């Protein structure tokens, strides 16, 4: 199997294709979680928010979930609950949900209540809510330390090995160096995100075997919006330019905040102060970071899902900023969870007309 084929398989199969060996597996749902801390405890970390690609047509549907899941429920949440009830996560030891992610919070609340009511099996992974305040104030720092202590206690009950934070950070640094070589575009999106279901070492090994390529000179495009776990937006943009700033949650890069932190406390502080987290406080910090991140781009393409409750507030600001600075701003509107041919064709037309 070639490195490209292996990366594409990991991206498509996701948790369903996981080979964790003897390590306990911890699922993470949402951004802003101290994954390196979990890895330092000897556990493998995987994303559970994004379902396998085949789930769109062949995913489980469990009657118990259908009986309580309102139609307006976030699609990531709904697919997680069906997979949870069907046993897809039984091999995991723990799932940590990010309080600041609207899909993760609903998934935690539904999963916890369904387990309490006996609607799903009591066996399976433990659930833990990570409730970080994304601010660098002294009060926020004190609160976040209590959250870190809560997570530490859960990890202590899960694994018996000594923590090795330096080794976990070294593995992430090696992966970060390999990720720096990944090109923009649909393929790069797949290769980058495949690592969410691999160890940092395996991911770095595969990425290091890829040939280095330089994108052709073209329009520089920024993608903004809510989480999109497939490269559909990249493919729409390919005909017009290169996506050089992917600022939606699956495009930020790998554990951007805290990559140089010397210890868990410094990692926590870096994640809390990350200005590109959508829950950054004060909100103006996030807006300012968005403007700075798109500074080198010619085109800004925005797309949100139907459950967006946060990013949409920044769209008018970005549109006005683009007009003021001579950039093209394109709003593709609400994006289905798995866009079909009609939505894709309409989005391609919208972008082409805006750039004509």
């Amino acid at each position: 199997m070639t490195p490209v084929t292996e990366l594409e398989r990991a991206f498509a199969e996701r948790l369903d294709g996981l080979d964790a060996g003897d390590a306990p597996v911890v699922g993470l749902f949402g951004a802003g979680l101290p994954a390196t801390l979990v890895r330092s405890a000897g556990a493998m970390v995987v994303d559970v928010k994004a379902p396998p690609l085949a789930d769109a047509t062949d995913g489980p549907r469990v009657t118990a979930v259908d009986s309580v899941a309102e139609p307006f429920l976030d699609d990531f949440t709904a697919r997680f609950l069906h997979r949870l009830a069907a046993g897809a996560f039984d091999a995991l030891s723990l799932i940590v949900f990010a309080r600041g992610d609207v899909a993760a919070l609903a998934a935690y609340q539904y999963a916890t209540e369904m387990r309490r009511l006996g609607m799903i099996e009591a066996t399976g992974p433990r659930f833990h809510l990570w409730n970080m305040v994304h601010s660098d104030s002294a009060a926020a720092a004190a609160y976040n330390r209590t959250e870190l202590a809560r997570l530490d206690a859960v990890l202590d009950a899960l694994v018996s090995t000594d923590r090795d934070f330096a080794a976990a950070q070294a593995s992430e640094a090696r992966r970060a160096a390999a990720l720096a070589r990944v090109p923009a575009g649909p393929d790069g999106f797949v290769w980058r995100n495949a690592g969410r279901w691999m160890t940092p070492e395996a991911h770095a090994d595969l990425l290091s075997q890829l040939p280095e390529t330089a994108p052709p000179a073209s329009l520089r495009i920024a993608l903004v919006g809510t989480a999109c776990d497939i490269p559909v937006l990249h493919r729409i943009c390919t005909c017009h330019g290169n996506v050089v700033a992917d600022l939606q949650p699956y495009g930020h890069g790998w554990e951007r905040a805290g990559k140089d932190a010397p210890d868990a406390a410094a990692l926590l502080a870096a994640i809390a102060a990350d200005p590109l987290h959508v829950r950054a406080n004060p909100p103006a910090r996030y807006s300012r970071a968005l403007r700075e991140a798109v500074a080198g781009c010619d085109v800004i393409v925005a797309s949100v899902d139907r459950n967006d409750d946060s990013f949409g507030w920044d769209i008018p600001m970005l549109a006005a900023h683009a007009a003021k600075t001579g950039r093209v701003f394109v709003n593709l509107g609400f994006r289905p969870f798995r866009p079909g041919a009609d939505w894709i064709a309409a989005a391609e037309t919208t972008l082409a007309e805006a750039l004509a």
Side-chain angles (χ1 to χ4, degrees):
M1 188 179 293
T2 68
V4 168
T5 303
E6 193 161 347
L7 289 165
E8 290 176 343
R9 180 201 59 79
F11 179 83
E13 295 180 2
R14 304 186 176 184
L15 189 63
D16 286 356
L18 186 68
D19 180 11
D22 297 326
V25 182
V26 174
L28 300 185
F29 196 133
L33 297 158
T36 303
L37 177 69
V38 180
R39 292 190 187 96
S40 74
M44 181 174 181
V45 176
V46 295
D47 181 286
V48 297
K49 177 173 181 174
L53 299 189
D55 187 81
T57 54
D58 299 323
R61 293 206 68 87
V62 179
T63 302
V65 176
D66 281 330
S67 69
V68 297
E70 290 93 343
F72 56 78
L73 200 62
D74 188 286
D75 293 295
F76 282 112
T77 301
R79 291 316 311 153
F80 168 85
L81 292 172
H82 280 288
R83 286 173 53 75
L84 174 69
F89 305 114
D90 284 356
L92 274 61
S93 301
L94 171 71
I95 297 178
V96 183
F97 301 83
R99 170 65 176 80
D101 183 306
V102 63
L105 177 60
Y108 172 79
Q109 291 169 327
Y110 272 79
T112 301
E113 185 65 3
M114 291 180 72
R115 178 176 280 178
R116 185 186 72 82
L117 294 173
M119 299 176 71
I120 58 175
E121 295 293 332
T123 57
R126 177 174 177 173
F127 303 146
H128 181 82
L129 185 65
W130 171 253
N131 191 14
M132 166 174 268
V133 178
H134 291 274
S135 170
D136 54 4
S137 70
Y143 178 86
N144 289 339
R145 285 194 294 271
T146 67
E147 285 297 291
L148 184 62
R150 288 179 60 242
L151 180 60
D152 267 336
V154 173
L155 293 174
D156 285 341
L158 177 67
V159 295
S160 57
T161 58
D162 293 334
R163 304 285 174 86
D164 194 341
F165 188 86
Q169 281 288 65
S171 294
E172 285 301 339
R174 181 166 172 255
R175 171 163 40 197
L179 283 169
R181 302 172 61 249
V182 175
D187 289 340
F189 180 90
V190 169
W191 301 339
R192 179 182 299 276
N193 280 288
R196 296 178 184 272
W197 301 278
M198 292 180 169
T199 64
E201 296 82 3
H203 194 204
D205 285 344
L206 291 173
L207 293 177
S208 65
Q209 298 176 55
L210 299 176
E212 290 196 48
T213 58
S218 185
L219 287 175
R220 296 166 59 85
I221 301 174
L223 284 180
V224 297
T226 50
C228 183
D229 66 321
I230 55 177
V232 60
L233 298 175
H234 289 262
R235 292 196 178 105
I236 289 169
C237 293
T238 296
C239 293
H240 304 284
N242 302 312
V243 175
V244 298
D246 186 353
L247 302 173
Q248 57 92 20
Y250 280 92
H252 278 180
W254 213 270
E255 296 190 18
R256 179 186 64 258
K259 62 182 180 180
D260 300 319
D263 52 39
L267 173 66
L268 187 73
I271 295 173
D274 179 13
L276 277 174
H277 191 284
V278 72
R279 303 293 186 187
N281 187 45
R285 184 170 62 168
Y286 177 65
S287 301
R288 183 171 58 251
L290 279 177
R291 292 194 297 270
E292 292 172 352
V294 303
C297 298
D298 308 299
V299 184
I300 304 169
V301 177
S303 176
V304 298
D305 62 34
R306 64 188 177 95
N307 297 97
D308 172 54
D309 74 337
S310 54
F311 183 84
W313 295 100
D314 286 287
I315 286 180
M317 176 275 297
L318 281 174
H321 176 69
K324 182 179 179 180
T325 56
R327 296 180 175 87
V328 176
F329 182 83
V330 186
N331 185 0
L332 298 181
F334 289 117
R335 181 188 65 249
F337 184 55
R338 292 289 183 260
D342 289 346
W343 188 90
I344 292 172
E348 289 173 341
T349 299
T350 298
L351 181 57
E353 290 177 349
L355 295 175

